[in-house]
Amino acid sequence: MNMKNVRVIVIAVVCVLVICGGFFLFSQNQNSGNPDELTEVEKVLVKDLEKDFPPTPREVVKFYNRIVQCYHTDNLKKDDLGKLVDQMMKLWDKDMLAKNSRETYLASVKADLELYKKTKKSIVSMTVCDSKDVVEKTDDRNGDKLAFVKTTYFVNTDGTFTNSHMVIGLRQDDKGNWKIIGVTLTKGESSEDDE
């Protein structure tokens, strides 16, 4: 093999190594602690509910649950809890808004979080019923379209696991958005063994 061929092979190998190394560094930067990646709290807070309201009762409840989960995030930034409360209240029906001031609801959330902390309680996971299990009705009195969505929270209380079962009621507003009219605990908390 002459020197010219060796030189071409060496240059080709160096080029391949440079390209592979550049690709490796690029992929590492994409996957590692990218400061542009949003936390779940930030994702919930940047969702513009005026332009992108969840389209179905089930999707509203799923977003409701995301907000509740964010309430329980460790080390929330100073103003995040208030901003999360604002997002939650955008999911509420006008009648529910009329009955609950922001200050009262925020105080209630803070008290609930304090109780969770004191009793060493945490939400492990949340589930929402399948779309086929969402109950939709028309109110005979006024023609309002209503929906009822079941959701379950799997909760750890200092090592004891329970399920909290709720039904969230929604009403369709004039814009076609499903807004929350109430939340009802359906059968208290049951232990994992009771299921």
Side-chain angles (χ1 to χ4, degrees), residues 97-129:
L97 285 169
K99 294 176 189 172
N100 298 280
S101 72
R102 181 186 188 275
E103 294 75 25
T104 302
Y105 179 60
L106 179 58
S108 171
V109 170
K110 286 179 178 178
D112 193 43
L113 292 173
E114 200 54 44
L115 179 64
Y116 266 67
K117 189 176 183 180
K118 186 186 289 187
T119 58
K120 297 180 182 174
K121 200 174 196 180
S122 62
I123 298 172
V124 178
S125 65
M126 303 169 165
T127 58
V128 178
C129 68

Side-chain angles (χ1 to χ4, degrees), residues 53-167:
F53 198 85
T56 66
R58 185 173 183 270
E59 290 301 315
V60 172
V61 172
K62 285 171 73 175
F63 194 68
Y64 169 95
N65 283 349
R66 285 177 65 193
I67 295 172
V68 170
Q69 190 73 56
C70 287
Y71 288 160
H72 294 270
T73 300
D74 292 332
N75 305 318
L76 277 178
K77 293 178 186 169
K78 185 178 180 183
D79 298 328
D80 282 351
L81 187 60
K83 291 176 184 175
L84 288 167
V85 162
D86 293 338
Q87 282 290 75
M88 178 66 83
M89 293 181 80
K90 290 175 186 174
L91 300 179
W92 291 0
D93 179 81
K94 62 184 182 202
D95 291 342
M96 192 158 164
L97 285 169
K99 294 176 189 172
N100 298 280
S101 72
R102 181 186 188 275
E103 294 75 25
T104 302
Y105 179 60
L106 179 58
S108 171
V109 170
K110 286 179 178 178
D112 193 43
L113 292 173
E114 200 54 44
L115 179 64
Y116 266 67
K117 189 176 183 180
K118 186 186 289 187
T119 58
K120 297 180 182 174
K121 200 174 196 180
S122 62
I123 298 172
V124 178
S125 65
M126 303 169 165
T127 58
V128 178
C129 68
D130 291 334
S131 297
K132 65 181 174 51
D133 296 321
V134 173
V135 177
E136 291 190 30
K137 298 181 178 183
T138 300
D139 189 332
D140 293 334
R141 297 170 296 170
N142 53 26
D144 286 346
K145 291 183 179 178
L146 306 173
F148 301 91
V149 180
K150 293 179 184 175
T151 186
T152 301
Y153 292 1
F154 186 55
V155 179
N156 178 359
T157 306
D158 199 21
T160 301
F161 295 91
T162 56
N163 289 311
S164 291
H165 307 279
M166 292 169 281
V167 173

Side-chain angles (χ1 to χ4, degrees), residues 14-61:
V14 168
C15 287
V16 168
L17 289 174
V18 167
I19 291 170
C20 290
F23 179 78
F24 176 78
L25 289 173
F26 176 78
S27 66
Q28 288 301 308
N29 286 338
Q30 293 295 322
N31 296 330
S32 66
N34 188 346
D36 294 334
E37 275 187 37
L38 298 177
T39 66
E40 179 63 8
V41 170
E42 291 166 336
K43 288 177 187 175
V44 166
L45 291 178
V46 300
K47 184 168 178 73
D48 185 347
L49 292 171
E50 292 298 319
K51 295 179 182 173
D52 188 23
F53 198 85
T56 66
R58 185 173 183 270
E59 290 301 315
V60 172
V61 172

